[in-house]
Amino acid sequence: MSLDHAAARLPDHPVDPQFPARWSPRSFSEATLTEGQVLTVLEAARWAPSASNNQPARFVWGLRGDAGFAAILGALVPSNRDWAQRAAALIAVASRDVTVAADGTVKPNRWAGFDSGAAWMSLALQAQAMGLVAHAMGGFDGPALSAAVALPADHSLHAVVAIGQQGPVENLPEALRAREAPNQRNPLTASAFRGRF
Ligand SMILES: Cc1cc2nc3c(=O)[nH]c(=O)nc-3n(C[C@H](O)[C@H](O)[C@H](O)COP(=O)(O)O)c2cc1C
């Protein structure tokens, strides 16, 4: 991210610069990632908090050029596929939505989605700390992605995350170039309330 882009994202309150500095570019360079780099990103997700430490987040990933990447890519909506095909890695984020007690009782885990969201954020910030960018996508065909990753029963899919080194805006299809900049946020007063809504 260029400094002028970073400066354009002004927090309402003092905050560690990593938060406004993180954004979701669509342009990727040709650079590849190693398996070790992907595992480091996923390791950060592993340490995310979760209800009762159930750790429901699940990840299925592939590196550009391998069959897993192609399968996940093929399940994206075309408007995401257009740019995500250049990512170095694609990670499908899922959750296991039940817990199984020692006596075999199966119960729904109503925090599975919340916890998987926390894990995705850890992953994104780890990528940023490594000089990479991460871009989440909800635009995928559910049945196609389920088939692509062989989603087990009692699991749900939440997003696909594209990871890699940011590339020049010229690497994007023409239609996406004007949008390749960090966006803004509603004021904190729109989302945080002292005492009650
Ligand atoms: C769950 C989720 C789904 C998203 N789906 C898409 C998507 O399908 N395509 C896309 O280009 N961006 C997608 N985004 C990226 C958001 O548009 C982006 O995070 C948001 O505009 C905030 O911008 P920033 O991440 O650059 O700060 C998604 C992000 C999240 C967290």
Side-chain angles (χ1 to χ4, degrees):
M1 170 181 203
S2 69
L3 284 176
D4 53 330
H5 278 164
R9 279 192 146 187
L10 295 177
D12 287 357
H13 300 273
V15 67
D16 191 278
Q18 68 176 312
F19 297 105
R22 184 219 55 81
W23 67 292
S24 305
R26 292 183 175 85
S27 181
F28 291 94
S29 76
E30 298 299 332
T32 55
L33 288 182
T34 63
E35 176 170 0
Q37 286 173 299
V38 176
L39 294 181
T40 291
V41 161
L42 293 173
E43 180 70 18
R46 176 177 169 234
W47 289 101
S50 64
S52 302
N53 201 20
N54 275 321
Q55 303 166 60
R58 298 289 184 271
F59 306 95
V60 180
W61 61 277
L63 293 175
R64 192 175 67 235
D66 72 22
F69 183 102
I72 296 170
L73 183 71
L76 295 177
V77 297
S79 57
N80 283 332
R81 208 181 303 145
D82 283 350
W83 56 267
Q85 61 182 315
R86 298 182 64 98
L90 290 175
I91 303 175
V93 182
S95 58
R96 184 187 191 214
D97 299 332
V98 295
T99 58
V100 183
D103 67 358
T105 311
V106 178
K107 283 192 187 160
N109 176 5
R110 77 179 197 82
W111 297 280
F114 183 84
D115 292 344
S116 299
W120 128 253
M121 195 63 216
S122 294
L123 174 166
L125 292 175
Q126 177 62 37
Q128 174 168 272
M130 295 161 72
L132 304 171
V133 294
H135 191 142
M137 291 166 274
F140 57 83
D141 179 295
L145 188 59
S146 299
V149 302
L151 190 76
D154 296 323
H155 287 58
S156 345
L157 286 163
H158 301 291
V160 172
V161 182
I163 295 198
Q165 190 183 82
Q166 190 178 356
V169 73
E170 294 73 28
N171 282 5
L172 282 174
E174 184 81 41
L176 289 174
R177 291 182 191 172
R179 293 169 62 194
E180 189 70 347
N183 54 20
Q184 292 300 326
R185 290 296 185 269
N186 297 326
L188 185 59
T189 50
S191 58
F193 312 97
R194 186 165 181 177
R196 55 186 294 179
F197 270 90

